[in-house]
Amino acid sequence: MSSLREQFQDYIAERRRRRARLVTKDGRCIIEYGNINYTRNFAFLADFWTTFVEIRWRFVLFFFIASFSLSWFIFGLLWYCIARANGDLTWQDPPSDHTPCVQNVGGLTAAFLYSLETQTTIGYGGRAITPFCPGAVALIIIQSLIGAIINCFLCGVILAKISLPKKRAKTITFSEMAVICPRNNSLCLSIRVANLRKTLMIGSQVYGKLLRTTTTPDGETIIMDQVSIDFMVDAGNDNPFFVCPLTLYHVIDKRSPFFEMAVDNIHNQDFELVVFLDGTAESTSCSCQVRTSYIPHEFMWGYNFMPIISRSKEGKYKVDFSNFSKVVPVATAHCSYCYHNIKGHHHHSTLGCENQGFEVIEIDDPPNVTKM
């Protein structure tokens, strides 16, 4: 029973941590809007194109089926009324020399089939309009125009949803955890990002926002205070060559909001680090943004990512994605202040601070990796 109780408590704690996020790991923003004026809701109808593009696929398919079926049925009723007014129906017993408005339309089912054939331009040949009814001529023109509008609009919505830049963002992934360790003679916060497609992201820019609750000197509480976090790569932070996985790092110095954090209190902090990657897809020239977030329990102090880029004997570069989220412990000072001010604390610990559920491997000898 105690084991079940602990598992239930861990489950509740994990649910609370997930609920506390503003941005999920896959980039969705979790926020609720309340007390919106009723008149403001009509703004979504005024911008109906964006509304249709952003709704879920199930609703798009529902509107697709409903719009065509309803238009076929409504125009089928109109064709039935025209046939009835002209005396074309079977139960009206038209004479042998009777001139119908639409040939072979003798009932409601036949009128519906003729409406479907007209709007979809099937034309089986059994039912055809005659030039002796001006109302029928006007109705077929109106139905053809409305059918073309419905076709253009719904096909455009489906094409726009298929080509959304959000789909390209799905092939860019971030590491599940962020690590803190020495790098380039500085204590750095590092994350890893990879482009799963061989096509490049042009003009990529990476930046972050630290969301936390702060209190001003006047006593005002700011629920979502945003602090800019600068990320860099070894080649610089301007337009990185995103052809292979990159390790992004933020230098933890006196200007960094992480400077006051340490290995023993970082998991007790209340913040969320949101990381953004903006770029343009090379194949479609569409701009897209990839987002992810890290909460305190997703930071690993005293660990570093494993190398994943190597070079074969034939001279080809190889990326091993099996090591994308694997880390190894490294000697790291237990706080940023100690790293910068106390001599000899650069190698305080070789054990690091573990997070449950994250794969850690030990390496006896460093792998033979050739850097690009």
Side-chain angles (χ1 to χ4, degrees):
M1 293 298 295
S2 60
S3 176
L4 292 176
R5 189 181 300 109
E6 292 176 357
Q7 292 180 4
F8 179 75
Q9 292 176 353
D10 294 341
Y11 173 77
I12 295 298
E14 180 64 23
R15 291 274 297 182
R16 289 177 179 174
R17 288 196 295 267
R18 292 181 180 180
R19 199 178 298 119
R21 289 182 183 273
L22 175 65
V23 180
T24 61
K25 299 297 287 185
D26 58 355
R28 293 180 295 107
C29 295
I30 304 176
I31 189 169
E32 296 181 0
Y33 296 96
N35 300 325
I36 300 178
N37 295 334
Y38 178 76
T39 55
R40 296 293 182 89
N41 294 328
F42 290 100
F44 295 96
L45 297 179
D47 187 17
F48 64 91
W49 172 257
T50 304
T51 301
F52 269 90
V53 171
E54 291 182 348
I55 60 177
R56 296 182 179 274
W57 272 106
R58 62 176 71 100
F59 297 110
V60 173
L61 296 178
F62 171 77
F63 284 118
F64 184 88
I65 296 173
S67 60
F68 279 107
S69 300
L70 188 61
S71 63
W72 295 338
F73 180 73
I74 291 175
F75 280 103
L77 291 178
L78 295 178
W79 287 114
Y80 179 80
C81 293
I82 289 178
R84 181 177 180 179
N86 193 49
D88 299 340
L89 301 179
T90 304
W91 59 269
Q92 292 178 317
D93 195 16
S96 58
D97 59 346
H98 176 72
T99 303
C101 289
V102 181
Q103 296 177 354
N104 298 323
V105 175
L108 182 59
T109 303
F112 175 79
L113 291 176
Y114 178 71
S115 174
L116 187 153
E117 295 168 9
T118 300
Q119 191 165 327
T120 57
T121 65
I122 294 178
Y124 289 118
R127 285 170 285 271
I129 189 174
T130 60
F132 304 105
C133 295
V137 175
L139 183 61
I140 195 172
I141 294 175
I142 294 173
Q143 184 176 5
S144 299
L145 293 176
I146 293 179
I149 293 174
I150 295 176
N151 280 330
C152 293
F153 179 78
L154 292 178
C155 291
V157 169
I158 294 176
L159 181 60
K161 286 186 68 66
I162 293 176
S163 59
L164 278 176
K166 294 180 180 179
K167 304 303 179 183
R168 179 63 178 92
K170 298 296 183 182
T171 56
I172 297 177
T173 181
F174 287 88
S175 58
E176 291 293 329
M177 294 288 181
V179 298
I180 298 177
C181 63
R183 183 185 179 91
N184 296 334
N185 297 322
S186 299
L187 188 65
C188 297
L189 164 67
S190 302
I191 61 175
R192 180 171 276 175
V193 60
N195 180 13
L196 302 182
R197 290 187 179 274
K198 293 184 178 180
T199 55
L200 300 180
M201 293 292 294
I202 304 173
S204 300
Q205 294 182 350
V206 182
Y207 56 95
K209 295 290 183 180
L210 185 67
L211 309 179
R212 58 184 179 180
T213 301
T214 59
T215 303
T216 63
D218 299 333
E220 179 185 1
T221 301
I222 303 177
I223 300 297
M224 195 184 298
D225 185 24
Q226 300 186 20
V227 180
S228 297
I229 303 296
D230 296 327
F231 284 95
M232 298 179 292
V233 295
D234 291 334
N237 56 352
D238 294 332
N239 299 330
F241 187 34
F242 201 9
V243 69
C244 60
L246 299 175
T247 300
L248 313 173
Y249 62 91
H250 163 71
V251 178
I252 302 178
D253 52 15
K254 294 182 179 180
R255 297 172 297 177
S256 172
F258 295 97
F259 185 77
E260 302 296 333
M261 300 181 188
V263 65
D264 53 354
N265 66 6
I266 187 171
H267 290 170
N268 299 324
Q269 302 289 328
D270 183 16
F271 66 87
E272 180 178 358
L273 175 62
V274 184
V275 183
F276 303 86
L277 188 146
D278 297 338
T280 302
E282 183 183 27
S283 55
T284 61
S285 299
C286 293
S287 300
C288 65
Q289 183 182 85
V290 190
R291 298 180 294 267
T292 191
S293 68
Y294 299 91
I295 56 178
H297 289 269
E298 295 172 345
F299 284 78
M300 302 186 68
W301 196 297
Y303 286 89
N304 194 12
F305 292 111
M306 283 192 60
I308 60 175
I309 303 176
S310 60
R311 195 170 184 178
S312 63
K313 296 180 179 179
E314 294 78 12
K316 294 184 179 180
Y317 294 102
K318 180 180 180 182
V319 179
D320 185 6
F321 278 97
S322 63
N323 294 335
F324 181 75
S325 294
K326 293 180 181 179
V327 297
V328 291
V330 294
T332 307
H334 73 279
C335 66
S336 180
Y337 178 83
C338 298
Y339 184 89
H340 291 284
N341 297 279
I342 301 178
K343 188 177 181 180
H345 277 68
H346 294 67
H347 305 284
H348 176 77
S349 173
T350 59
L351 297 179
C353 178
E354 293 187 1
N355 277 6
Q356 297 296 329
F358 192 74
E359 184 176 2
V360 179
I361 67 172
E362 296 182 357
I363 299 179
D364 296 331
D365 298 324
N368 184 14
V369 178
T370 301
K371 294 184 178 180
M372 294 182 61

Short mmCIF file of all heavy atoms in Angstrom, two decimals, residues 143-197:
data_model
loop_
_atom_site.label_atom_id
_atom_site.label_comp_id
_atom_site.label_asym_id
_atom_site.label_seq_id
_atom_site.Cartn_x
_atom_site.Cartn_y
_atom_site.Cartn_z
N GLN A 143 -26.28 27.56 -59.19
CA GLN A 143 -25.68 26.39 -58.54
C GLN A 143 -24.25 26.17 -59.00
O GLN A 143 -23.39 25.80 -58.19
CB GLN A 143 -26.53 25.15 -58.82
CG GLN A 143 -26.01 23.91 -58.08
CD GLN A 143 -26.89 22.70 -58.28
OE1 GLN A 143 -27.85 22.74 -59.05
NE2 GLN A 143 -26.56 21.61 -57.58
N SER A 144 -23.97 26.40 -60.26
CA SER A 144 -22.60 26.23 -60.75
C SER A 144 -21.66 27.22 -60.08
O SER A 144 -20.53 26.85 -59.68
CB SER A 144 -22.55 26.39 -62.27
OG SER A 144 -23.36 25.42 -62.91
N LEU A 145 -22.09 28.46 -59.91
CA LEU A 145 -21.25 29.47 -59.27
C LEU A 145 -21.03 29.15 -57.80
O LEU A 145 -19.90 29.22 -57.28
CB LEU A 145 -21.87 30.86 -59.44
CG LEU A 145 -21.92 31.41 -60.87
CD1 LEU A 145 -22.66 32.74 -60.90
CD2 LEU A 145 -20.52 31.56 -61.43
N ILE A 146 -22.09 28.80 -57.09
CA ILE A 146 -21.96 28.48 -55.66
C ILE A 146 -21.11 27.23 -55.47
O ILE A 146 -20.28 27.15 -54.55
CB ILE A 146 -23.36 28.32 -55.03
CG1 ILE A 146 -24.08 29.67 -55.02
CG2 ILE A 146 -23.25 27.77 -53.62
CD1 ILE A 146 -25.48 29.60 -54.44
N GLY A 147 -21.30 26.24 -56.33
CA GLY A 147 -20.47 25.03 -56.23
C GLY A 147 -19.00 25.32 -56.45
O GLY A 147 -18.13 24.76 -55.76
N ALA A 148 -18.68 26.23 -57.40
CA ALA A 148 -17.28 26.60 -57.63
C ALA A 148 -16.70 27.32 -56.42
O ALA A 148 -15.53 27.11 -56.05
CB ALA A 148 -17.18 27.47 -58.88
N ILE A 149 -17.50 28.20 -55.78
CA ILE A 149 -17.02 28.91 -54.59
C ILE A 149 -16.74 27.93 -53.46
O ILE A 149 -15.71 28.02 -52.77
CB ILE A 149 -18.05 29.97 -54.17
CG1 ILE A 149 -18.13 31.07 -55.23
CG2 ILE A 149 -17.68 30.56 -52.81
CD1 ILE A 149 -19.24 32.08 -54.97
N ILE A 150 -17.65 26.98 -53.24
CA ILE A 150 -17.44 25.98 -52.17
C ILE A 150 -16.20 25.16 -52.46
O ILE A 150 -15.39 24.89 -51.56
CB ILE A 150 -18.69 25.09 -52.03
CG1 ILE A 150 -19.88 25.92 -51.55
CG2 ILE A 150 -18.42 23.95 -51.06
CD1 ILE A 150 -21.18 25.13 -51.48
N ASN A 151 -16.02 24.75 -53.71
CA ASN A 151 -14.84 23.96 -54.07
C ASN A 151 -13.55 24.74 -53.82
O ASN A 151 -12.61 24.23 -53.20
CB ASN A 151 -14.90 23.56 -55.55
CG ASN A 151 -15.80 22.36 -55.78
OD1 ASN A 151 -15.95 21.52 -54.91
ND2 ASN A 151 -16.42 22.30 -56.94
N CYS A 152 -13.50 25.97 -54.27
CA CYS A 152 -12.28 26.79 -54.10
C CYS A 152 -11.98 27.02 -52.63
O CYS A 152 -10.82 26.90 -52.19
CB CYS A 152 -12.43 28.11 -54.83
SG CYS A 152 -12.51 27.97 -56.63
N PHE A 153 -12.99 27.34 -51.83
CA PHE A 153 -12.76 27.68 -50.43
C PHE A 153 -12.29 26.45 -49.65
O PHE A 153 -11.26 26.51 -48.95
CB PHE A 153 -14.04 28.24 -49.81
CG PHE A 153 -13.89 28.59 -48.36
CD1 PHE A 153 -13.26 29.76 -47.97
CD2 PHE A 153 -14.38 27.74 -47.38
CE1 PHE A 153 -13.12 30.08 -46.63
CE2 PHE A 153 -14.24 28.04 -46.04
CZ PHE A 153 -13.61 29.21 -45.66
N LEU A 154 -13.00 25.34 -49.75
CA LEU A 154 -12.65 24.17 -48.96
C LEU A 154 -11.33 23.55 -49.43
O LEU A 154 -10.53 23.09 -48.60
CB LEU A 154 -13.78 23.15 -49.01
CG LEU A 154 -15.07 23.58 -48.29
CD1 LEU A 154 -16.15 22.53 -48.44
CD2 LEU A 154 -14.79 23.86 -46.82
N CYS A 155 -11.10 23.52 -50.72
CA CYS A 155 -9.81 23.00 -51.20
C CYS A 155 -8.67 23.89 -50.76
O CYS A 155 -7.58 23.41 -50.42
CB CYS A 155 -9.83 22.88 -52.72
SG CYS A 155 -10.94 21.59 -53.35
N GLY A 156 -8.90 25.21 -50.73
CA GLY A 156 -7.87 26.13 -50.23
C GLY A 156 -7.59 25.92 -48.75
O GLY A 156 -6.43 25.98 -48.32
N VAL A 157 -8.65 25.67 -47.96
CA VAL A 157 -8.45 25.42 -46.53
C VAL A 157 -7.64 24.15 -46.31
O VAL A 157 -6.70 24.12 -45.50
CB VAL A 157 -9.82 25.33 -45.81
CG1 VAL A 157 -9.66 24.81 -44.40
CG2 VAL A 157 -10.51 26.69 -45.79
N ILE A 158 -7.98 23.10 -47.02
CA ILE A 158 -7.25 21.83 -46.87
C ILE A 158 -5.80 21.99 -47.30
O ILE A 158 -4.87 21.50 -46.63
CB ILE A 158 -7.96 20.72 -47.67
CG1 ILE A 158 -9.34 20.43 -47.05
CG2 ILE A 158 -7.11 19.46 -47.70
CD1 ILE A 158 -10.15 19.42 -47.82
N LEU A 159 -5.57 22.66 -48.41
CA LEU A 159 -4.19 22.87 -48.88
C LEU A 159 -3.41 23.72 -47.89
O LEU A 159 -2.23 23.45 -47.61
CB LEU A 159 -4.20 23.52 -50.26
CG LEU A 159 -2.83 23.77 -50.90
CD1 LEU A 159 -2.08 22.46 -51.07
CD2 LEU A 159 -2.98 24.49 -52.23
N ALA A 160 -4.05 24.75 -47.34
CA ALA A 160 -3.37 25.61 -46.38
C ALA A 160 -3.03 24.86 -45.10
O ALA A 160 -1.96 25.05 -44.52
CB ALA A 160 -4.23 26.84 -46.07
N LYS A 161 -3.92 23.99 -44.65
CA LYS A 161 -3.64 23.22 -43.43
C LYS A 161 -2.52 22.21 -43.66
O LYS A 161 -1.69 21.97 -42.77
CB LYS A 161 -4.91 22.49 -42.95
CG LYS A 161 -5.93 23.41 -42.31
CD LYS A 161 -7.07 22.61 -41.72
CE LYS A 161 -6.62 21.79 -40.52
NZ LYS A 161 -6.21 22.61 -39.37
N ILE A 162 -2.49 21.62 -44.85
CA ILE A 162 -1.43 20.65 -45.13
C ILE A 162 -0.07 21.33 -45.19
O ILE A 162 0.94 20.79 -44.73
CB ILE A 162 -1.74 19.93 -46.46
CG1 ILE A 162 -2.98 19.04 -46.31
CG2 ILE A 162 -0.55 19.08 -46.90
CD1 ILE A 162 -3.40 18.38 -47.59
N SER A 163 -0.02 22.56 -45.72
CA SER A 163 1.25 23.26 -45.90
C SER A 163 1.57 24.22 -44.76
O SER A 163 2.40 25.11 -44.94
CB SER A 163 1.23 24.03 -47.22
OG SER A 163 0.16 24.97 -47.24
N LEU A 164 0.92 24.08 -43.61
CA LEU A 164 1.22 24.96 -42.49
C LEU A 164 2.68 24.82 -42.05
O LEU A 164 3.22 23.72 -42.02
CB LEU A 164 0.31 24.65 -41.30
CG LEU A 164 -1.09 25.24 -41.31
CD1 LEU A 164 -1.89 24.75 -40.11
CD2 LEU A 164 -1.04 26.76 -41.34
N PRO A 165 3.34 25.93 -41.70
CA PRO A 165 4.73 25.82 -41.21
C PRO A 165 4.85 25.01 -39.92
O PRO A 165 5.93 24.54 -39.61
CB PRO A 165 5.12 27.29 -40.98
CG PRO A 165 4.20 28.09 -41.83
CD PRO A 165 2.92 27.32 -41.86
N LYS A 166 3.74 24.86 -39.19
CA LYS A 166 3.80 24.06 -37.96
C LYS A 166 4.21 22.63 -38.26
O LYS A 166 4.84 21.97 -37.42
CB LYS A 166 2.43 24.07 -37.27
CG LYS A 166 2.02 25.44 -36.74
CD LYS A 166 0.67 25.37 -36.07
CE LYS A 166 0.24 26.74 -35.55
NZ LYS A 166 -1.09 26.68 -34.90
N LYS A 167 3.85 22.12 -39.43
CA LYS A 167 4.22 20.75 -39.77
C LYS A 167 5.72 20.63 -39.96
O LYS A 167 6.32 19.61 -39.61
CB LYS A 167 3.47 20.31 -41.03
CG LYS A 167 1.96 20.44 -40.94
CD LYS A 167 1.38 19.67 -39.77
CE LYS A 167 -0.13 19.84 -39.69
NZ LYS A 167 -0.70 19.14 -38.52
N ARG A 168 6.35 21.66 -40.54
CA ARG A 168 7.81 21.63 -40.68
C ARG A 168 8.47 21.68 -39.32
O ARG A 168 9.53 21.08 -39.12
CB ARG A 168 8.25 22.83 -41.54
CG ARG A 168 9.76 22.92 -41.73
CD ARG A 168 10.29 21.71 -42.47
NE ARG A 168 11.71 21.81 -42.72
CZ ARG A 168 12.64 21.33 -41.91
NH1 ARG A 168 12.29 20.73 -40.77
NH2 ARG A 168 13.92 21.43 -42.20
N ALA A 169 7.85 22.37 -38.38
CA ALA A 169 8.42 22.46 -37.03
C ALA A 169 8.43 21.11 -36.32
O ALA A 169 9.21 20.91 -35.38
CB ALA A 169 7.65 23.48 -36.21
N LYS A 170 7.57 20.19 -36.75
CA LYS A 170 7.55 18.88 -36.10
C LYS A 170 8.83 18.09 -36.35
O LYS A 170 9.13 17.17 -35.60
CB LYS A 170 6.34 18.07 -36.61
CG LYS A 170 4.99 18.69 -36.31
CD LYS A 170 4.71 18.77 -34.84
CE LYS A 170 3.31 19.33 -34.58
NZ LYS A 170 3.03 19.45 -33.12
N THR A 171 9.57 18.43 -37.40
CA THR A 171 10.80 17.71 -37.71
C THR A 171 12.02 18.37 -37.10
O THR A 171 13.14 18.05 -37.48
CB THR A 171 10.96 17.60 -39.23
OG1 THR A 171 10.92 18.91 -39.81
CG2 THR A 171 9.86 16.76 -39.84
N ILE A 172 11.81 19.32 -36.20
CA ILE A 172 12.90 19.92 -35.43
C ILE A 172 12.66 19.58 -33.97
O ILE A 172 11.58 19.85 -33.43
CB ILE A 172 12.97 21.44 -35.64
CG1 ILE A 172 13.27 21.74 -37.11
CG2 ILE A 172 14.02 22.06 -34.74
CD1 ILE A 172 13.28 23.21 -37.43
N THR A 173 13.62 18.99 -33.33
CA THR A 173 13.44 18.50 -31.97
C THR A 173 14.51 19.05 -31.04
O THR A 173 15.64 19.31 -31.46
CB THR A 173 13.47 16.95 -31.95
OG1 THR A 173 13.27 16.48 -30.62
CG2 THR A 173 14.80 16.42 -32.47
N PHE A 174 14.10 19.24 -29.80
CA PHE A 174 15.01 19.69 -28.75
C PHE A 174 15.27 18.53 -27.79
O PHE A 174 14.49 17.57 -27.72
CB PHE A 174 14.41 20.87 -27.97
CG PHE A 174 14.38 22.17 -28.72
CD1 PHE A 174 13.31 22.50 -29.53
CD2 PHE A 174 15.44 23.05 -28.61
CE1 PHE A 174 13.28 23.70 -30.22
CE2 PHE A 174 15.42 24.26 -29.30
CZ PHE A 174 14.35 24.58 -30.11
N SER A 175 16.35 18.63 -27.06
CA SER A 175 16.64 17.63 -26.03
C SER A 175 15.61 17.72 -24.91
O SER A 175 15.06 18.79 -24.63
CB SER A 175 18.05 17.86 -25.47
OG SER A 175 18.17 19.17 -24.93
N GLU A 176 15.34 16.58 -24.29
CA GLU A 176 14.34 16.54 -23.23
C GLU A 176 14.82 17.28 -21.99
O GLU A 176 14.01 17.79 -21.22
CB GLU A 176 14.01 15.09 -22.87
CG GLU A 176 13.25 14.33 -23.94
CD GLU A 176 11.85 14.87 -24.13
OE1 GLU A 176 11.27 15.35 -23.13
OE2 GLU A 176 11.35 14.83 -25.27
N MET A 177 16.11 17.33 -21.78
CA MET A 177 16.68 17.94 -20.59
C MET A 177 17.66 19.05 -20.97
O MET A 177 18.21 19.06 -22.08
CB MET A 177 17.41 16.89 -19.74
CG MET A 177 16.49 15.84 -19.14
SD MET A 177 15.50 16.51 -17.81
CE MET A 177 14.59 15.03 -17.31
N ALA A 178 17.87 19.95 -20.06
CA ALA A 178 18.92 20.97 -20.18
C ALA A 178 20.00 20.65 -19.17
O ALA A 178 19.71 20.18 -18.05
CB ALA A 178 18.34 22.36 -19.93
N VAL A 179 21.25 20.84 -19.54
CA VAL A 179 22.37 20.49 -18.67
C VAL A 179 23.15 21.76 -18.32
O VAL A 179 23.15 22.74 -19.06
CB VAL A 179 23.30 19.45 -19.34
CG1 VAL A 179 22.55 18.16 -19.61
CG2 VAL A 179 23.90 20.01 -20.63
N ILE A 180 23.82 21.72 -17.16
CA ILE A 180 24.66 22.82 -16.70
C ILE A 180 26.04 22.24 -16.39
O ILE A 180 26.16 21.32 -15.56
CB ILE A 180 24.07 23.50 -15.45
CG1 ILE A 180 22.70 24.12 -15.80
CG2 ILE A 180 25.02 24.56 -14.90
CD1 ILE A 180 22.01 24.76 -14.62
N CYS A 181 27.06 22.76 -17.07
CA CYS A 181 28.41 22.24 -16.91
C CYS A 181 29.39 23.28 -17.45
O CYS A 181 28.99 24.22 -18.15
CB CYS A 181 28.58 20.90 -17.64
SG CYS A 181 28.36 21.04 -19.43
N PRO A 182 30.69 23.13 -17.17
CA PRO A 182 31.68 24.06 -17.73
C PRO A 182 31.80 23.88 -19.25
O PRO A 182 31.75 22.77 -19.76
CB PRO A 182 32.99 23.68 -17.02
CG PRO A 182 32.56 22.93 -15.81
CD PRO A 182 31.30 22.22 -16.18
N ARG A 183 31.98 25.00 -19.93
CA ARG A 183 32.14 24.98 -21.38
C ARG A 183 32.87 26.26 -21.79
O ARG A 183 32.43 27.35 -21.45
CB ARG A 183 30.79 24.89 -22.09
CG ARG A 183 30.88 24.78 -23.61
CD ARG A 183 29.49 24.81 -24.22
NE ARG A 183 29.54 24.73 -25.66
CZ ARG A 183 29.49 23.60 -26.37
NH1 ARG A 183 29.39 22.45 -25.73
NH2 ARG A 183 29.53 23.62 -27.69
N ASN A 184 33.98 26.09 -22.50
CA ASN A 184 34.77 27.23 -22.98
C ASN A 184 35.15 28.18 -21.84
O ASN A 184 34.96 29.39 -21.91
CB ASN A 184 34.01 27.99 -24.06
CG ASN A 184 33.76 27.17 -25.30
OD1 ASN A 184 34.50 26.23 -25.60
ND2 ASN A 184 32.70 27.51 -26.03
N ASN A 185 35.63 27.57 -20.74
CA ASN A 185 36.08 28.33 -19.57
C ASN A 185 34.96 29.16 -18.93
O ASN A 185 35.21 30.19 -18.30
CB ASN A 185 37.24 29.26 -19.94
CG ASN A 185 38.46 28.49 -20.42
OD1 ASN A 185 38.77 27.42 -19.89
ND2 ASN A 185 39.14 29.02 -21.43
N SER A 186 33.74 28.71 -19.06
CA SER A 186 32.59 29.38 -18.44
C SER A 186 31.59 28.31 -18.00
O SER A 186 31.54 27.20 -18.56
CB SER A 186 31.92 30.35 -19.40
OG SER A 186 32.81 31.37 -19.80
N LEU A 187 30.81 28.64 -16.99
CA LEU A 187 29.72 27.77 -16.59
C LEU A 187 28.53 28.07 -17.48
O LEU A 187 28.07 29.21 -17.55
CB LEU A 187 29.36 28.00 -15.12
CG LEU A 187 28.36 27.01 -14.52
CD1 LEU A 187 28.95 25.61 -14.49
CD2 LEU A 187 27.95 27.45 -13.12
N CYS A 188 28.03 27.04 -18.17
CA CYS A 188 27.03 27.26 -19.21
C CYS A 188 25.81 26.36 -19.01
O CYS A 188 25.93 25.22 -18.53
CB CYS A 188 27.61 27.02 -20.60
SG CYS A 188 28.95 28.14 -21.05
N LEU A 189 24.69 26.89 -19.40
CA LEU A 189 23.46 26.12 -19.54
C LEU A 189 23.35 25.70 -21.00
O LEU A 189 23.37 26.54 -21.89
CB LEU A 189 22.26 26.96 -19.12
CG LEU A 189 20.89 26.47 -19.55
CD1 LEU A 189 20.53 25.17 -18.84
CD2 LEU A 189 19.81 27.53 -19.29
N SER A 190 23.24 24.39 -21.24
CA SER A 190 23.27 23.88 -22.61
C SER A 190 22.02 23.08 -22.91
O SER A 190 21.50 22.36 -22.05
CB SER A 190 24.51 23.00 -22.85
OG SER A 190 25.69 23.72 -22.58
N ILE A 191 21.54 23.21 -24.14
CA ILE A 191 20.48 22.37 -24.67
C ILE A 191 20.90 21.94 -26.06
O ILE A 191 21.82 22.50 -26.66
CB ILE A 191 19.13 23.11 -24.73
CG1 ILE A 191 19.22 24.33 -25.63
CG2 ILE A 191 18.64 23.48 -23.34
CD1 ILE A 191 17.91 25.03 -25.82
N ARG A 192 20.23 20.95 -26.59
CA ARG A 192 20.59 20.42 -27.91
C ARG A 192 19.37 20.46 -28.81
O ARG A 192 18.24 20.17 -28.38
CB ARG A 192 21.11 18.99 -27.77
CG ARG A 192 21.52 18.33 -29.07
CD ARG A 192 22.23 17.02 -28.80
NE ARG A 192 23.66 17.24 -28.52
CZ ARG A 192 24.51 16.27 -28.16
NH1 ARG A 192 24.06 15.04 -27.99
NH2 ARG A 192 25.78 16.55 -27.96
N VAL A 193 19.58 20.83 -30.07
CA VAL A 193 18.51 20.91 -31.05
C VAL A 193 18.98 20.22 -32.32
O VAL A 193 20.17 20.29 -32.68
CB VAL A 193 18.12 22.38 -31.31
CG1 VAL A 193 19.30 23.18 -31.84
CG2 VAL A 193 16.94 22.48 -32.28
N ALA A 194 18.04 19.55 -33.00
CA ALA A 194 18.39 18.80 -34.21
C ALA A 194 17.34 19.02 -35.28
O ALA A 194 16.13 19.12 -34.99
CB ALA A 194 18.53 17.31 -33.91
N ASN A 195 17.78 19.08 -36.52
CA ASN A 195 16.91 19.15 -37.68
C ASN A 195 16.87 17.76 -38.29
O ASN A 195 17.89 17.25 -38.79
CB ASN A 195 17.45 20.18 -38.68
CG ASN A 195 16.58 20.30 -39.91
OD1 ASN A 195 15.46 19.81 -39.94
ND2 ASN A 195 17.09 20.96 -40.93
N LEU A 196 15.71 17.12 -38.25
CA LEU A 196 15.60 15.74 -38.71
C LEU A 196 15.55 15.61 -40.23
O LEU A 196 15.68 14.51 -40.75
CB LEU A 196 14.34 15.09 -38.10
CG LEU A 196 14.28 15.09 -36.57
CD1 LEU A 196 13.01 14.39 -36.09
CD2 LEU A 196 15.51 14.44 -35.97
N ARG A 197 15.36 16.71 -40.93
CA ARG A 197 15.39 16.68 -42.39
C ARG A 197 16.74 17.17 -42.90
O ARG A 197 17.43 17.93 -42.23
CB ARG A 197 14.27 17.56 -42.97
CG ARG A 197 12.87 17.02 -42.75
CD ARG A 197 11.87 17.87 -43.50
NE ARG A 197 10.52 17.38 -43.34
CZ ARG A 197 9.96 16.44 -44.10
NH1 ARG A 197 10.65 15.89 -45.08
NH2 ARG A 197 8.73 16.04 -43.88
#
